[in-house]
Every structure is written in C-alpha cells, then in structure tokens.
Amino acid sequence: QVQLVESGGGSVQAGGSLRLSCAASRYSLSSNCMAWFRQAPGKEREGVSTIYTGGGSTYYAYSVKGRFTISQDNAKNTVYLQMNSLKPEDSGMYYCAADLNTGPPCTLVSGRFGYWGQGTQVTVSS
C-alpha cells in the first residue's frame, strides 16, 4: 500500500514561492496519475494540478495555470509542485494524491484518487 508524505509548506508573503514535495513509499509511481489538491478553511477541496508519471502530461486548474508547475522525479519516487507568484487565496492545506487504478488522461476528480497524504499547510499573507 502506497504511503504519501508531503513537505515544503510554510508561510510566505504574496508574490513569493514555495515548492511542495510528495514522496511515495512502498510503491513505484512510474505510471500513475498523481495530483495536488488543496482545501481552505470553510471551503471545499479543489484540484490544483495533476501529472501522469508515465509520460509527464500535466493539467492545471485555471486558478493556478501559469503560476504553478507540477513535476516528477521517478528516481526519487517524488512529485513536486512549484508555486510561484503566490496569492492569499492560494492559502490552505495542500494534499498529494495517487490514483493507482486508472490510467490517463489524468483528471482532478478527487474520487479517482485512492491514496492521500496527510497534507502540508501553505499560508500566503498579503
């Protein structure tokens, strides 16, 4: 059973950058859909970005397109989310998720993802 551990969250000012990491263990993420979701207090969880680790195809939510970049390092079994030009509305708990059952195209439908990390907090101040 795969375990996902996120890291890299923190507090930054608007316009700053953070890089989140999602390290997987007990499973090789070489051909899977991986995604980042986020949830702010009082709001529903929303999909941020997804990547197919077997080919590198990516998809971004409109709200982060052009500012966030999802990437992978299969040798390290890790997926990253580089977040630039951060805005206060980007604040929330960020979760890494893995879909081990269905292949591409990867989508940001949370029900597809059966494995989730514990989350890492991102706080962006104005």
Side-chain angles (χ1 to χ4, degrees):
Q1 185 173 351
V2 63
Q3 289 189 332
L4 304 174
V5 179
E6 303 97 332
S7 61
S11 297
V12 297
Q13 290 191 327
S17 299
L18 285 172
R19 188 176 83 152
L20 306 184
S21 298
C22 172
S25 60
R26 302 183 182 181
Y27 194 90
S28 176
L29 301 176
S30 58
S31 298
N32 299 103
C33 292
M34 296 292 295
W36 288 95
F37 289 79
R38 66 186 181 188
Q39 188 168 20
K43 295 187 177 181
E44 293 187 357
R45 183 170 54 191
E46 65 171 334
V48 175
S49 182
T50 186
I51 186 169
Y52 176 57
T53 60
S57 59
T58 59
Y59 176 81
Y60 298 91
Y62 179 79
S63 59
V64 306
K65 198 168 186 178
R67 300 187 298 121
F68 291 11
T69 303
I70 192 170
S71 63
Q72 64 187 91
D73 185 335
N74 286 354
K76 295 183 178 180
N77 224 25
T78 299
V79 173
Y80 304 96
L81 185 68
Q82 177 67 43
M83 306 186 296
N84 298 329
S85 302
L86 283 162
K87 304 175 181 180
E89 52 263 43
D90 293 319
S91 298
M93 188 70 78
Y94 281 69
Y95 298 93
C96 175
D99 173 7
L100 306 185
N101 297 319
T102 56
C106 303
T107 64
L108 290 172
V109 176
S110 61
R112 287 186 53 162
F113 297 86
Y115 297 91
W116 296 77
Q118 82 290 348
T120 185
Q121 179 69 39
V122 171
T123 303
V124 185
S125 58
S126 57

